[in-house]
Amino acid sequence: METGACGHNVLLDSRFHFIHLDPVPYCQRVVRQLDFSWMSTDKLSVLHEILTFANYFSESMSIEPSQLQDHNHELMHESLQGSPTVISSTPSNGRKLYLESYGCQMNFSDSEIVASILNEAGFATTRDEKEADLILLNTCAIRENAEQRVRRRLQQFKKAKQHRPELVVGVLGCMAERLKESLLEQEKLVDLVVGPDAYRDIPNLVDQVHGGQKAVNVLLSREETYAEISPVRLDSNGVSAFISIMRGCDNMCSFCVVPFTRGRERSRDPETIVREANELFEAGYREVTLLGQNVDSYKWNIDNKGEIKDTESPVVYFAELIERVAEVNSDLRVRFSTSHPKDMTDDVLHAMARHENICKYIHLPVQSGNSDNLKRMNRGYTREWYLERIDSIRRIMPDCAISTDIIAGFCGETEEEHQDTLSLMEAVQYDMSYMFQYSERPRTLAQRKYENDVPDEVKSRRLQEIIALQKGHGAARTKALTGRTYRVLIEGTSKKSDDEYFGRTTYNTVVVFPKENAEPGTYVNVHVRDCTAVTLLGNITEEPAVA
């Protein structure tokens, strides 16, 4: 999984255009209200980064509802963290489930699976934790502040159990395996702990708890993909949906804990993926995002040694899979997340170029622009290799939008290595970047092997330099899109105005425009007349779209 090693992160993204109120004094007020006792960074550092975030977005507009989901990358927007899962159902046994999700889009996708399994077991979902019989938190181990937030929520639920002893509280996901003993026995915050590969077992584990036992299943699987489970869709717009195509990760990036919490990589049967895409299209969805920790390493019917498992069945790699999904219907847009530079092949790029409905947007995390730093990160490629991949994208799809992840201040990073990152950014000119200050995570290779030796003030200064550079690049890339007409999938009503819709181009850039007689879930051609730093502004037109 591509993540930025859990520092305070800033997302300069065309899908998040923010804020109605004056952001700087607003953030100052928010910071004064925060409880910093649990933080490992001092108040001034946190305030500095929040104000940097606010100053950037003060140039822009307002968040649109579905922009709150980061459809093409791992971390869901802050406003969605801890949001409850609610589905339409009429279970027979009267029990109610309250399910909160934290972290990346894989976790939110997993919550769809959990909701489906428990719906079959007779649980209705609720937005009100006070009426729940079962409370589950689907957790993230990527960032320290996500763990701290979950712990605070569990403390609140522990107090609730004093008045409702029959209440069952559990933790799911990436925190489960690493913290099972602490949560169950030492802190006594939960009744059950369930890892990402054991969600089918939740109904049985709940019964064990009712029988007076603590319940744990954190076993990782080499086979589990939940392929035959039809997830209950959580998104409210009915336009876009996630499809999980694989689970786990075989990359051992030294800063990342995911291989230890989600297990080894295994791919899902392509027939079930295509069937799910068909079902979504028939249900009215017009965009799917194929999810995997590293979609480029998707493979079916062949093992890691290159041996075919069933000689009578075809071998399917990601390039073939994405074409199969694109062929479901030309009106079904296809996106994917996340790519890995060492595994992305020209076959995938050519497949994207052949199909208009495969969006021309690639998230290709670089993490650092220096080869020595990349080696310490165990990324499996060099600066030169990465730039060759960028050259291939530009050659095969000259107009393709590209975004990335960058970590500032990783272990041993020198000033020269930091300057290499800035020079790579200048060479690529990213449309958008996820930028992070490195902070150490337990159980990672970096924690065991390297000293976290870059001072916080140096990390912070380097991060601000990265942010400032990306701000200019992103604004220039957005401005370059003006004056042309694009095919836009309408996702919903603009938060800024009830008279306007918003949608996205194939390049993943948000467009806001007057509604006229259009409807969400349909395509319109929009001529872009102007822009903010991160958002296109236009009007519906009959003229043909260039993309």
Side-chain angles (χ1 to χ4, degrees):
M1 181 179 187
E2 300 298 335
T3 63
C6 0
H8 308 298
N9 55 71
V10 178
L11 306 104
L12 303 191
D13 186 342
S14 62
R15 287 158 292 170
F16 303 109
H17 44 103
F18 196 74
I19 296 174
H20 280 302
L21 67 173
D22 185 1
V24 176
Y26 173 76
C27 287
Q28 288 172 332
R29 291 196 300 273
V30 170
V31 170
R32 283 196 293 268
Q33 297 171 16
L34 292 176
D35 172 14
F36 286 92
S37 61
W38 53 272
M39 283 185 158
S40 59
T41 311
D42 61 56
K43 295 182 183 180
L44 291 178
S45 174
V46 175
L47 175 59
H48 177 67
E49 293 188 23
I50 290 177
L51 294 184
T52 300
F53 180 83
N55 279 322
Y56 173 78
F57 283 112
S58 65
E59 301 176 14
S60 311
M61 295 167 60
S62 63
I63 294 178
E64 303 300 352
S66 89
Q67 287 175 263
L68 299 177
Q69 294 186 15
D70 175 10
H71 289 279
N72 296 294
H73 197 58
E74 46 283 331
L75 295 176
M76 301 295 281
H77 189 268
E78 185 67 17
S79 62
L80 289 181
Q81 299 297 316
S83 58
T85 298
V86 178
I87 63 174
S88 298
S89 61
T90 54
S92 58
N93 65 17
R95 292 185 293 178
K96 292 189 176 182
L97 163 69
Y98 179 82
L99 171 58
E100 286 185 357
S101 300
Y102 296 85
C104 66
Q105 82 272 53
M106 289 295 293
N107 269 17
F108 282 71
S109 179
D110 278 359
S111 288
E112 296 178 345
I113 293 171
V114 172
S116 300
I117 291 170
L118 286 169
N119 184 52
E120 288 295 317
F123 281 87
T125 54
T126 177
R127 294 185 184 276
D128 185 358
E129 63 198 61
K130 295 179 181 179
E131 65 179 28
D133 302 284
L134 172 62
I135 294 177
L136 299 176
L137 273 63
N138 197 357
T139 62
C140 173
I142 298 302
R143 296 187 297 172
E144 182 180 3
N145 60 348
E147 285 195 11
Q148 297 296 339
R149 177 183 288 185
V150 168
R151 285 183 179 277
R152 291 197 298 276
R153 286 296 279 154
L154 292 175
Q155 291 285 359
Q156 294 171 3
F157 296 141
K158 184 177 181 179
K159 292 179 181 178
K161 282 175 66 69
Q162 296 174 1
H163 305 286
R164 290 189 292 152
E166 75 285 355
L167 175 65
V168 176
V169 177
V171 165
L172 315 178
C174 294
M175 281 179 63
E177 197 281 332
R178 190 170 71 80
L179 298 174
K180 58 183 181 295
E181 293 182 3
S182 173
L183 296 174
L184 274 171
E185 303 299 336
Q186 298 170 16
E187 299 176 73
K188 300 186 185 303
L189 291 176
V190 299
D191 304 299
L192 62 88
V193 176
V194 188
D197 292 344
Y199 295 146
R200 296 178 194 269
D201 201 26
I202 294 176
N204 295 328
L205 296 173
V206 172
D207 289 341
Q208 288 183 32
V209 173
H210 285 305
Q213 304 176 52
K214 297 289 185 179
V216 183
N217 188 341
V218 293
L219 295 176
L220 295 176
S221 168
R222 288 179 178 266
E223 290 82 32
E224 180 63 86
T225 63
Y226 302 107
E228 81 287 1
I229 294 177
S230 297
V232 177
R233 300 296 162 184
L234 308 183
D235 46 357
S236 59
N237 66 7
V239 176
S240 56
F242 298 137
I243 298 179
S244 178
I245 67 169
M246 59 196 302
R247 297 182 71 83
C249 184
D250 284 350
N251 294 308
M252 298 297 292
C253 300
S254 63
F255 53 76
C256 187
V257 73
V258 166
F260 305 103
T261 60
R262 286 191 168 269
R264 298 298 300 270
E265 199 171 85
R266 61 271 190 204
S267 298
R268 182 178 163 189
D269 185 338
E271 297 300 326
T272 68
I273 296 169
V274 174
R275 183 168 63 245
E276 187 173 339
N278 264 303
E279 292 170 353
L280 286 166
F281 186 82
E282 293 300 319
Y285 289 83
R286 291 298 176 264
E287 180 180 273
V288 294
T289 299
L290 307 182
L291 291 182
Q293 312 295 346
N294 174 13
V295 294
D296 291 305
S297 62
Y298 175 92
K299 56 183 178 293
W300 179 256
N301 195 33
I302 189 169
D303 62 22
N304 289 334
K305 297 179 181 179
E307 297 180 2
I308 297 175
K309 298 177 181 179
D310 181 358
T311 56
E312 297 184 1
S313 299
V315 173
V316 179
Y317 292 100
F318 184 61
E320 290 86 12
L321 175 67
I322 198 171
E323 288 202 271
R324 289 192 187 188
V325 175
E327 289 166 356
V328 165
N329 194 290
S330 61
D331 279 337
L332 181 67
R333 270 189 173 175
V334 183
R335 300 185 186 271
F336 56 88
S337 176
T338 295
S339 294
H340 196 294
K342 73 177 178 62
D343 297 318
M344 189 185 71
T345 66
D346 284 2
D347 287 344
V348 172
L349 303 180
H350 285 299
M352 294 176 67
R354 281 193 294 269
H355 295 269
E356 184 179 342
N357 59 326
I358 301 179
C359 293
K360 306 305 181 281
Y361 170 84
I362 295 175
H363 186 78
L364 194 65
V366 66
Q367 308 297 4
S368 172
N370 177 270
S371 294
D372 290 337
N373 207 17
L374 290 169
K375 186 175 182 179
R376 291 194 298 274
M377 292 178 173
N378 200 35
R379 290 290 289 168
Y381 57 86
T382 63
R383 173 190 176 99
E384 291 73 25
W385 174 277
Y386 184 91
L387 288 173
E388 188 277 329
R389 292 289 77 210
I390 295 294
D391 289 343
S392 291
I393 295 172
R394 301 292 192 210
R395 171 173 48 83
I396 296 169
M397 295 178 292
D399 60 343
C400 186
I402 304 173
S403 61
T404 199
D405 291 353
I406 300 173
I407 298 174
F410 184 69
C411 307
E413 183 185 67
T414 66
E415 190 62 31
E416 182 181 3
E417 290 172 347
H418 168 63
Q419 292 300 320
D420 283 346
T421 295
L422 297 179
S423 69
L424 184 139
M425 293 176 67
E426 289 281 16
V428 178
Q429 301 275 318
Y430 293 107
D431 294 75
M432 185 273 286
S433 295
Y434 293 82
M435 295 155 285
F436 304 84
Q437 178 176 312
Y438 175 72
S439 68
E440 191 174 76
R441 300 304 292 134
R443 293 184 56 183
T444 59
L445 177 63
Q447 183 201 35
R448 298 194 302 269
K449 188 173 181 180
Y450 302 122
E451 182 180 355
N452 185 12
D453 56 357
V454 180
D456 284 346
E457 60 270 20
V458 175
K459 291 179 184 177
S460 182
R461 188 259 302 166
R462 290 176 183 172
L463 177 62
Q464 304 319 315
E465 292 176 1
I466 291 168
I467 291 168
L469 188 59
Q470 178 56 43
K471 176 181 175 181
H473 292 166
R477 298 285 293 181
T478 302
K479 187 174 180 59
L481 296 174
T482 60
R484 296 190 288 176
T485 299
Y486 302 96
R487 192 177 192 226
V488 175
L489 176 60
I490 303 175
E491 298 186 31
T493 298
S494 169
K495 188 174 182 180
K496 185 183 179 186
S497 171
D498 290 339
D499 297 325
E500 293 181 321
Y501 281 136
F502 76 96
R504 283 179 293 155
T505 68
T506 186
Y507 309 124
N508 210 39
T509 311
V510 165
V511 187
V512 175
F513 50 92
K515 285 183 173 180
E516 299 188 15
N517 296 318
E519 295 291 336
T522 63
Y523 291 94
V524 291
N525 289 353
V526 177
H527 182 76
V528 174
R529 51 180 167 73
D530 200 359
C531 67
T532 69
V534 292
T535 304
L536 302 176
L537 309 173
N539 295 88
I540 295 175
T541 180
E542 295 296 325
E543 68 181 57
V546 298

